């Protein structure tokens, strides 16, 4: 079915979480001009969506799941809840969203004594969930370009790797008048992640230091120069990432009772988006119960965990100095979306949801990642961090035995394969504090040397190699 593009248009505004000021969306704003606070985007006509009941929306979104209209096929299936100011012609679709939810392998679930599934957001076009946000941010940017007739737009972002991969991919697809530059902490993104913006033709600039250093630089650039900032300070990205929550709810037939969602927390944009999405579903009666929501952080980058593990009356937010983490995409000491989290947690909890943050060690993250992938999953280290978080939550008695956990595997395993190599070859630098389980080391085994092969005829070679393989595998003859 080629569905008609919806006629509903909302009225969106930037709302400052610092001072409450509101600004129109005809400009790309990142932070409040008056107080410097971060924004969330709000549809001021959202309440009119309540003219329809939850069942109406559930049916509509279920019907759209089979549409061939590409503007509604990906994350914009949930158009009315996300960015209902965009026109069909502005909407970009590169195949993002609609990522599979794969049940934990039976053996692994049994071994861990918990029921869980991974949502494989690494199966997005640039192999991470960042594509959800970029699809929305670039769609909005296209709307701005169309309206203003701009003939040159430079997008820029700081990145732990995946934001730049996504920004460069979507920028390359849109083409003129968009050009993309990315700022990376030198040596702190994986070779696979680095190859992505290079391959998409973006200008790649490296800065010594960690992500937090790059973030300060792009913020200053966004303040002083004409650039379009694509970090998650850009609230349009948050909107796009809400689609993750909508898809989880839809997959479970709009029933999230007894579910616990685990999300790795770095800059805290993703957890903000997931929470915001769930709140909207609940407000419209599309889901009747909010799931339990857990952020997960490594003890090497844990400012959000520190905040929420302190008794409410004594909480004080303080950035931390990060230490090397295998959950490198979440290795952030001063998350820019922390004020968003704090605001939304209050709303979430007053609507009956529960929110918590668990902290895990680097060892636990790596062990969980390896365990998942040895059971047929494709978890990145942040996905492994979620599994480690689930195990921790279970130990702490935060998860009931009849609950089902949905773990966000935010990127594809292949992006972080260097950490797997370090695990298998026991070559982690000291700072990671990881001792591999030697029994799990898996390395290629040579069947025959090239020199030996050179001595053999083609026939002898095949026979000798087959024999060596059979010996190695202890094959029985027939
Ligand atoms: C960006 C990223 C994160 C962290 O998400 P935030 O929105 O920064 O909290 C986690 N995992 C992967 C793979 C990422 O790319
Ligand atoms: Zn403000």
């Amino acid at each position: 079915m080629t569905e008609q593009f919806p006629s509903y248009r909302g009225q969106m505004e930037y709302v400052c979480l610092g001072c409450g000021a509101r600004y129109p969306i005809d400009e790309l704003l990142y932070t409040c001009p008056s107080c410097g606070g971060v924004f969330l985007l709000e549809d001021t006509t959202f309440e009119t969506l309540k003219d329809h009941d939850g069942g109406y929306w559930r049916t509509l979104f279920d019907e759209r799941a089979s549409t061939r209209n590409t503007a509604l096929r990906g994350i914009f299936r949930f158009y009315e809840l996300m960015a209902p100011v965009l026109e069909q012609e502005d909407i970009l679709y590169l195949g993002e969203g609609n990522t599979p939810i794969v049940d934990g392998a039976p053996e692994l679930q049994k071994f861990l004594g918990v029921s869980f599934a991974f949502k494989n957001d690494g199966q997005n076009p640039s192999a991470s969930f960042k594509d959800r946000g970029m699809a929305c941010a670039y769609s909005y940017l296209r709307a701005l370009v169309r309206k203003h007739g701009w003939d040159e737009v430079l997008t820029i972002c700081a990145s732990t790797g995946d934001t730049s991969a996504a920004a460069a991919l979507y920028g390359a697809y849109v083409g003129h008048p968009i050009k993309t530059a990315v700022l990376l902490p030198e040596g702190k993104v994986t070779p696979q992640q680095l190859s992505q913006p290079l391959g998409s033709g973006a200008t790649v600039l490296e800065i010594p230091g960690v992500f937090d250093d790059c973030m300060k630089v792009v913020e200053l650039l966004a303040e002083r120069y004409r650039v379009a900032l694509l970090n998650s300070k850009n609230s349009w990205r948050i909107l796009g990432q809400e689609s993750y929550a909508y898809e989880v709810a839809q997959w479970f037939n709009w029933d999230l009772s007894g579910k616990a969602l685990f999300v790795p927390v770095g800059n805290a944009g993703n957890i903000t988006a997931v929470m915001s999405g769930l709140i909207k579903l609940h407000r419209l009666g599309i889901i009747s119960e909010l799931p339990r929501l857990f952020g997960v952080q490594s003890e090497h980058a844990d400012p959000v965990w520190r905040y929420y593990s302190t008794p409410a009356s004594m909480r004080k937010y303080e950035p931390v100095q990060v230490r090397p983490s295998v959950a490198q995409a979440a290795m952030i000491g001063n998350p820019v979306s922390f004020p968003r989290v704090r605001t939304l947690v209050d709303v979430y909890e007053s609507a009956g949801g529960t929110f918590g943050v668990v902290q895990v060690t680097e060892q636990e993250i790596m062990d969980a990642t390896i365990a998942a992938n040895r059971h047929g999953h494709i978890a990145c280290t942040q996905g492994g961090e979620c599994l480690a978080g689930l195990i921790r939550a279970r130990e702490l008695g935060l998860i009931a035995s009849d609950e089902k956990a949905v773990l966000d595997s935010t990127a594809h395993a292949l992006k972080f394969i260097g950490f797997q190599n370090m695990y298998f070859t026991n070559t982690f630098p000291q700072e990671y504090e990881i001792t591999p389980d030697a029994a799990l080391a898996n390395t290629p085994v040579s069947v025959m040397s090239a020199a030996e092969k050179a001595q053999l005829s083609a026939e002898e070679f095949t026979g000798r190699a087959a024999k060596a393989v059979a010996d190695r595998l202890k094959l029985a003859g027939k």
Side-chain angles (χ1 to χ4, degrees), residues 48-216:
T48 65
L49 298 177
K50 288 186 182 164
D51 293 348
H52 298 288
D53 66 5
Y56 168 88
W57 294 110
R58 290 192 291 267
T59 305
L60 178 71
F61 297 142
D62 285 349
E63 282 172 3
R64 269 190 204 153
S66 64
T67 185
R68 285 189 171 73
N69 180 344
T70 56
L72 297 172
R73 212 179 144 65
I75 61 169
F76 289 100
R77 181 191 304 171
F78 312 98
Y79 177 83
E80 291 85 349
L81 309 189
M82 248 165 36
V85 289
L86 300 174
E87 300 302 324
Q88 178 162 349
E89 61 191 298
D90 298 319
I91 289 180
L92 263 176
Y93 174 67
L94 269 62
E96 60 287 330
N98 218 347
T99 54
I101 293 182
V102 177
D103 263 324
E107 272 181 25
L108 190 57
Q109 295 202 55
K110 198 162 158 229
F111 175 72
L112 296 175
V114 283
S115 169
F116 71 91
F118 275 113
K119 184 161 169 68
N120 287 339
D121 249 21
Q123 289 180 253
N124 275 300
S126 82
S128 88
F129 77 85
K130 299 291 199 305
D131 295 332
R132 298 177 180 276
M134 283 307 164
C136 186
Y138 270 102
S139 296
Y140 168 68
L141 204 53
R142 286 221 295 195
L144 282 185
V145 166
R146 187 169 51 80
K147 210 169 90 193
H148 296 283
W150 290 333
D151 58 9
E152 193 179 282
V153 180
L154 182 71
T155 71
I156 193 162
C157 64
S159 175
T160 53
D162 292 332
T163 297
S164 60
L169 181 72
Y170 284 79
Y173 184 91
V174 174
H176 180 80
I178 298 218
K179 288 210 174 95
T180 307
V182 304
L183 252 67
L184 301 174
E186 199 178 333
K188 302 286 190 316
V189 308
T190 72
Q192 294 77 12
Q193 290 172 318
L194 177 60
S195 76
Q196 293 186 284
L198 291 173
S200 299
T203 304
V204 177
L205 303 166
E206 296 187 312
I207 289 190
V210 293
F211 169 83
D212 297 289
D213 298 304
C214 293
M215 192 64 213
K216 285 182 198 145

Side-chain angles (χ1 to χ4, degrees), residues 16-21 23 32-37 39:
C16 172
L17 300 185
C19 69
Y23 301 88
C32 176
S34 112
C35 82
F39 291 131

Side-chain angles (χ1 to χ4, degrees), residues 359-401:
Q359 184 215 43
V360 293
T361 65
E362 289 294 310
Q363 181 78 49
E364 289 162 345
I365 296 173
M366 212 50 226
D367 289 343
T369 307
I370 299 284
N373 296 344
R374 284 179 72 96
H375 285 87
H377 294 287
I378 49 169
C380 66
T381 41
Q382 294 68 221
E385 182 177 28
C386 284
L387 180 55
L390 168 61
I391 296 169
R392 171 57 35 78
R394 188 89 168 90
E395 283 165 5
L396 294 172
L398 301 172
I399 294 284
S401 58

Side-chain angles (χ1 to χ4, degrees), residues 418-453:
F419 294 119
Q420 176 186 292
N421 290 344
M422 288 186 208
Y423 196 93
F424 287 167
T425 54
N426 194 6
T427 49
F428 272 107
Q430 185 86 46
E431 315 84 84
Y432 285 94
E433 304 177 287
I434 293 173
T435 309
D437 177 351
L440 299 181
N442 204 3
T443 49
V445 177
S446 170
V447 164
M448 177 189 295
S449 71
E452 196 182 337
K453 184 186 177 202

